[in-house]
Amino acid sequence: MIYIFPQDIVQQHIVQHLSQPRRGPKCKVATWELVNAILYKLKTGCQWDMLPINSLITSNPIGYKAVFHHFRKWIKDGSWERAFTNFGKTSKHFFDLSTAQLDGTHSPAKRGGEAVGYQKRKSAKTTNILLLTDKNGLVVASEKPEAGNHHDLYKIEDQLTHIFNQMKQQQIPLDGLFVNADPGFDAEIVRKVCEKEEVILNVKPNKRNRANLDSDQFFDELMYEEHFSIERTNVWMDSLRTLLVRQDTTSSSWSSWHNIAAIYWKIKHRVLKL
């Protein structure tokens, strides 16, 4: 059998947060095996109908459509987002929040779909997701997908509010949080949202914004050097082949894959190294 993570790890950190049927016949396949198959899809990027079902699921013979059915069911009832939030709450001691990093990540969207737009800089239609990571690059919170043709400040107030609310749900204190951000976030609206939550924003001045260059805005260049870690996060994400090129056409699926990926790397870099 192909194991992505040991059974007890999947049970403890993922399965317990997924919805289970309350009535009707119970699923004849162990839930952790369904999750194992979904993690295999995340890691390899194979098509659903190319999943090696017989090597991934041994408790009962099923088809790949059953795995896809459960994946979509857990999207619709909010299980993946709940798993991301609850795992973050119980494992927030894994985070190093001496600094946090804020940035967006663009992914080519070959099949089009929701939240897709042409990005000239990428020479392709892309989807953008805003991430906030800890000092070591572990994803702490993320925003819903947006079309890649929008600039970094598109709906930034709503996006930051959503990210900060995710952190509150994980019981992560925002007061005094030091957040590094690149010049694309050098804007008054970003500072206002951060000030409201008592977050310390360390944004590199945008050379095209003369007003801010001439002001006395706070910027610590030495601390900003730690912003590179979010670029490492993007490399981690791209190593999961399902996230390298977007094939899903729905925003809900794309967002859920990022939630699962955040859980995956937390288990990989923290839980398995205890």
Side-chain angles (χ1 to χ4, degrees), residues 113-129:
E114 300 171 349
V116 172
Y118 178 68
Q119 171 59 257
K120 184 178 180 180
R121 183 163 54 92
K122 299 291 183 179
S123 300
K125 290 183 177 181
T126 63
T127 296
N128 183 42
I129 284 188

Side-chain angles (χ1 to χ4, degrees), residues 41-42 44-45 240-246 248 254 257:
K41 164 79 168 77
L42 171 71
T44 65
L240 301 173
R241 306 296 289 184
T242 289
L243 298 185
L244 181 60
V245 176
R246 178 181 170 183
D248 296 81
W254 194 236
W257 280 125

Side-chain angles (χ1 to χ4, degrees), residues 197-256:
E197 300 291 347
E198 299 185 23
V199 169
I200 302 170
L201 179 67
N202 189 46
V203 58
K204 187 172 184 178
N206 192 331
K207 295 181 179 179
R208 293 177 295 180
N209 193 336
R210 292 180 178 273
N212 286 349
L213 283 176
D214 297 335
S215 68
D216 295 327
Q217 297 287 356
F218 170 80
F219 176 64
D220 188 316
E221 191 166 354
L222 184 62
M223 297 291 281
Y224 181 77
E225 291 179 2
E226 296 179 359
H227 187 258
F228 83 93
S229 65
I230 199 168
E231 301 301 334
R232 184 172 58 203
T233 303
N234 292 334
V235 174
W236 289 348
M237 292 296 191
D238 286 346
S239 70
L240 301 173
R241 306 296 289 184
T242 289
L243 298 185
L244 181 60
V245 176
R246 178 181 170 183
Q247 300 294 342
D248 296 81
T249 57
T250 62
S251 292
S252 58
S253 288
W254 194 236
S255 180
S256 293

Side-chain angles (χ1 to χ4, degrees), residues 6-241:
Q7 177 180 349
D8 59 331
I9 296 294
V10 176
Q11 289 279 11
Q12 180 181 353
H13 297 292
I14 303 179
V15 171
Q16 66 168 325
H17 305 303
L18 303 178
S19 63
Q20 301 294 333
R22 297 182 179 180
R23 61 180 69 181
K26 292 185 178 180
C27 182
K28 296 181 180 179
V29 177
T31 304
W32 82 270
E33 288 189 321
L34 292 169
V35 173
N36 186 51
I38 291 168
L39 290 174
Y40 181 90
K41 164 79 168 77
L42 171 71
K43 186 173 176 62
T44 65
C46 69
Q47 298 176 340
W48 287 103
D49 60 355
M50 296 298 290
L51 281 174
I53 294 294
N54 294 334
S55 299
L56 291 166
I57 298 175
T58 60
S59 57
N60 200 57
I62 60 170
Y64 74 90
K65 292 183 180 180
V67 180
F68 178 75
H69 165 77
H70 282 84
F71 171 70
R72 285 297 304 175
K73 181 190 76 170
W74 287 325
I75 288 175
K76 293 175 182 177
D77 64 22
S79 287
W80 294 122
E81 187 169 358
R82 185 165 57 251
F84 171 77
T85 300
N86 290 339
F87 187 22
K89 185 188 301 182
T90 58
S91 62
K92 57 180 179 289
H93 56 282
F94 291 144
F95 293 131
D96 182 350
L97 289 173
S98 54
T99 64
Q101 326 306 325
L102 180 70
D103 204 359
T105 173
H106 284 265
S107 301
K110 296 297 185 180
R111 297 180 60 199
E114 300 171 349
V116 172
Y118 178 68
Q119 171 59 257
K120 184 178 180 180
R121 183 163 54 92
K122 299 291 183 179
S123 300
K125 290 183 177 181
T126 63
T127 296
N128 183 42
I129 284 188
L130 192 64
L131 302 176
L132 187 139
T133 68
D134 74 345
K135 181 180 178 179
N136 298 315
L138 294 177
V139 175
V140 180
S142 62
E143 175 48 31
K144 302 296 183 183
E146 293 289 352
N149 58 314
H150 297 301
H151 54 75
D152 289 337
L153 298 178
Y154 178 72
K155 294 183 178 178
I156 191 62
E157 185 173 4
D158 293 338
Q159 292 189 57
L160 285 178
T161 299
H162 183 271
I163 282 177
F164 291 150
N165 285 338
Q166 265 195 343
M167 296 178 70
K168 291 175 183 177
Q169 290 171 7
Q170 297 175 64
Q171 299 176 355
I172 297 174
L174 298 177
D175 184 11
L177 180 67
F178 194 97
V179 177
N180 290 314
D182 66 29
F185 297 93
D186 183 16
E188 192 62 30
I189 183 62
V190 179
R191 292 188 174 87
K192 286 182 178 179
V193 176
C194 289
E195 287 175 6
K196 181 180 178 182
E197 300 291 347
E198 299 185 23
V199 169
I200 302 170
L201 179 67
N202 189 46
V203 58
K204 187 172 184 178
N206 192 331
K207 295 181 179 179
R208 293 177 295 180
N209 193 336
R210 292 180 178 273
N212 286 349
L213 283 176
D214 297 335
S215 68
D216 295 327
Q217 297 287 356
F218 170 80
F219 176 64
D220 188 316
E221 191 166 354
L222 184 62
M223 297 291 281
Y224 181 77
E225 291 179 2
E226 296 179 359
H227 187 258
F228 83 93
S229 65
I230 199 168
E231 301 301 334
R232 184 172 58 203
T233 303
N234 292 334
V235 174
W236 289 348
M237 292 296 191
D238 286 346
S239 70
L240 301 173
R241 306 296 289 184

